Amino acid sequence: MTTISPTRVSMYDFLYQDIQPLTSLLADTATLSLPQTRIAVNSGIQAILAALLAYQQRHQAQAVNKKLFSRAAVKELRQYNAMNFATLSATLYHRQDVTETLFIDSTRVNKACDYIADQVDASAAQVKVLLGTLTIIVLRELAILTEYSQLDNEELDKWFALQPQFLTKQRFAADSAASINSHADTQVLTNARSPTKPADSELSKAANPEALSAKVAETEITDTEITNAESANSEQTDSQALDIRPPAFDPYWYELTKFAPNLAASGQDMQQATSNYLKVIGRSPENVQQGRHNDLLVFTQMPNISVPHQRWLLQLAKISDIYLNRRRLRIASEPINPPSAPLVSLALIGGNSDNTPATTSETPIEYEPAAPLWKNPVILIIVLVIGALSALAALKYQSQQSSGAITATEAVIEHDKAEEREQQDVAIVKVDDEEDAK
């Protein structure tokens, strides 16, 4: 069974990790130092995300698709497959129009720039260039993610509805607690590995061969436990290499964009419901060996986060994970051939790739193959009858047409003869004028 982090469907986490490679390029564009750019980019992503959530809350997903993700500026930027100065020059041309559309008016844009400028000790004009560039890049990235995940308007609305829970203070507090616990575990392992000076009593016991053998066995067991713990910790670190925790979300952006987060708790625990469902159909972790469903993709549990296990959401998470592993926004020249779109196996999100049934309940029902239509006698008889009736109808129609034409011709001839009989002979007599005079 394959697990994936719920943060892969978080817009905030995705954008924060996706735009990290652009820090130096954005610093050159806005003429800021790298430390200033890092802080400004973090605040800019928060401002843009809050404005996008507010825009969707007012106009719904259809308007987001048509007026933002399908905007001409976003389509033009999507023609580039690498990020460099040529790509950023295209963003600078459309940045003001797109930013004002997302933030509704220029007043909010100026307030956001002033707020970020105070944080990084820079001018509002510099921050305005950075914010406009970030806005069109963010819309481009989310538009690509939406298209390749094949989300319709209803699914897009549900995706937006999940975002506020990734921005709450409780979520970042839980992440901080987990980070502290992880650091404490690492410190314990370090202390266990560090050599310590044995006490005098231990040295005296070591003179006894039996005590020495027991001490060696105990040391070997301890070393084995520490090695296993270190290997598990290393695997966990490797799997979470891309799970960079973003900074806590600033509630000021809710006030500026007038976004009202709706954090209504769901009536059912989706994690528990999904676990029970997987157990019933034989796909729980306890039945992995029996059912051989090692390729099934599910969300891991996360404090204060509730994400439903739905096909479109799992597909979105997997595509997001592929994009983050590709690091598509690293600075590079334009490739000759565009990169292929990520493909997600349907077995990961809804089935088992193993065609061999694992249990009796999974054995498919075999049906006899249906006979071809041309071998069915009933259908052949029906076709022959319909053909014969059609032929008879055609012959009858032709005979009626021919007899009707003959009858009409005879009627015309009879009518002409009758007119000739009714005509009277007329004689024209020429009288001589001279005789009449006499």
Side-chain angles (χ1 to χ4, degrees):
M1 185 174 296
T2 306
T3 59
I4 193 167
S5 173
T7 56
R8 284 296 181 261
V9 297
S10 168
M11 294 183 185
Y12 182 40
D13 292 74
F14 172 77
L15 294 173
Y16 178 78
Q17 299 174 39
D18 190 38
I19 297 178
Q20 287 298 317
L22 282 178
T23 304
S24 59
L25 198 60
L26 294 173
D28 292 336
T29 304
T31 62
L32 295 171
S33 64
L34 286 177
Q36 286 177 316
T37 306
R38 291 190 184 96
I39 300 174
V41 167
N42 296 342
S43 298
I45 292 175
Q46 295 180 14
I48 295 167
L49 181 57
L52 183 60
L53 293 176
Y55 190 95
Q56 184 271 339
Q57 194 173 58
R58 286 190 293 266
H59 306 290
Q60 301 306 314
Q62 186 175 3
V64 174
N65 257 331
K66 290 184 177 180
K67 297 184 179 180
L68 295 180
F69 292 166
S70 300
R71 203 172 186 84
V74 177
K75 289 183 177 179
E76 180 181 347
L77 190 61
R78 289 185 59 179
Q79 297 176 1
Y80 298 92
N81 299 298
M83 298 304 296
N84 45 46
F85 285 111
T87 308
L88 284 184
S89 64
T91 67
L92 294 175
Y93 181 77
H94 301 284
R95 60 183 176 83
Q96 184 175 359
D97 177 51
V98 175
T99 306
E100 292 183 357
T101 302
L102 180 62
F103 283 87
I104 305 301
D105 55 18
S106 58
T107 304
R108 290 182 180 176
V109 177
N110 294 332
K111 289 182 179 179
C113 294
D114 292 337
Y115 186 79
I116 299 175
D118 292 339
Q119 294 178 348
V120 299
D121 193 18
S123 64
Q126 292 174 301
V127 175
K128 194 169 186 179
V129 174
L130 178 66
L131 185 63
T133 307
L134 266 180
T135 300
I136 192 170
I137 292 175
V138 165
L139 294 180
R140 172 197 186 245
E141 295 300 287
L142 294 180
I144 292 174
L145 199 59
T146 302
E147 178 181 348
Y148 285 122
S149 301
Q150 301 177 357
L151 302 184
D152 55 21
N153 291 332
E154 182 180 357
E155 292 168 348
L156 193 61
D157 280 327
K158 294 180 180 178
W159 185 31
F160 273 89
L162 294 174
Q163 300 310 309
Q165 62 181 331
F166 292 102
L167 309 177
T168 58
K169 294 181 179 179
Q170 293 79 3
R171 179 254 168 130
F172 292 102
D175 289 347
S176 300
S179 177
I180 293 173
N181 294 333
S182 177
H183 178 72
D185 295 340
T186 305
Q187 188 67 26
V188 169
L189 290 174
T190 304
N191 295 336
R193 272 299 188 186
S194 62
T196 57
K197 184 177 180 180
D200 296 338
S201 59
E202 294 179 352
L203 289 175
S204 61
K205 291 180 181 179
N208 188 358
E210 297 179 357
L212 181 60
S213 301
K215 187 67 177 179
V216 170
E218 181 182 356
T219 304
E220 291 178 353
I221 295 174
T222 305
D223 290 342
T224 303
E225 293 177 352
I226 294 175
T227 303
N228 294 336
E230 285 182 346
S231 61
N233 190 23
S234 176
E235 292 177 358
Q236 185 178 5
T237 303
D238 294 338
S239 64
Q240 296 178 351
L242 291 175
D243 291 336
I244 306 173
R245 185 174 68 254
F249 193 83
D250 191 351
Y252 169 76
W253 301 117
Y254 287 161
E255 301 176 5
L256 180 66
T257 58
K258 306 301 182 184
F259 174 68
N262 183 13
L263 297 176
S266 58
Q268 185 180 15
D269 186 2
M270 297 305 299
Q271 297 284 353
Q272 184 66 26
T274 306
S275 300
N276 294 334
Y277 170 71
L278 294 176
K279 188 174 182 180
V280 168
I281 65 175
R283 295 186 180 182
S284 63
E286 294 81 4
N287 299 332
V288 167
Q289 297 299 327
Q290 180 183 0
R292 297 199 297 274
H293 295 285
N294 298 331
D295 55 353
L296 186 64
L297 185 66
V298 295
F299 286 111
T300 57
Q301 294 186 2
M302 187 173 178
N304 302 311
I305 300 296
S306 176
V307 179
H309 290 68
Q310 296 184 5
R311 185 203 61 80
W312 65 271
L313 200 59
L314 288 167
Q315 183 173 355
L316 172 66
K318 189 59 181 177
I319 292 177
S320 173
D321 184 70
I322 293 173
Y323 271 170
L324 292 178
N325 281 278
R326 286 183 178 181
R327 294 178 63 85
R328 300 174 303 108
L329 295 188
R330 61 180 181 272
I331 302 172
S333 58
E334 187 69 19
I336 299 176
N337 298 321
S340 60
L343 299 177
V344 180
S345 174
L346 295 178
L348 282 175
I349 57 179
N352 183 15
S353 60
D354 188 2
N355 295 326
T356 304
T359 60
T360 306
S361 61
E362 294 179 0
T363 304
I365 301 175
E366 296 182 359
Y367 297 94
E368 295 182 359
L373 296 178
W374 57 273
K375 288 186 177 181
N376 194 328
V378 177
I379 295 179
L380 291 177
I381 293 174
I382 293 175
V383 171
L384 290 176
V385 171
I386 294 176
L389 292 177
S390 300
L392 292 175
L395 291 175
K396 185 176 180 180
Y397 177 76
Q398 292 293 336
S399 63
Q400 288 179 352
Q401 289 291 103
S402 59
S403 62
I406 294 173
T407 305
T409 304
E410 293 176 353
V412 171
I413 294 174
E414 292 293 334
H415 183 268
D416 292 341
K417 290 180 178 180
E419 287 184 351
E420 289 178 359
R421 287 194 297 267
E422 291 178 358
Q423 290 179 355
Q424 297 179 359
D425 295 336
V426 178
I428 302 175
V429 180
K430 183 177 181 182
V431 180
D432 193 356
D433 295 339
E434 293 181 356
E435 294 180 356
D436 292 341
K438 291 180 179 183

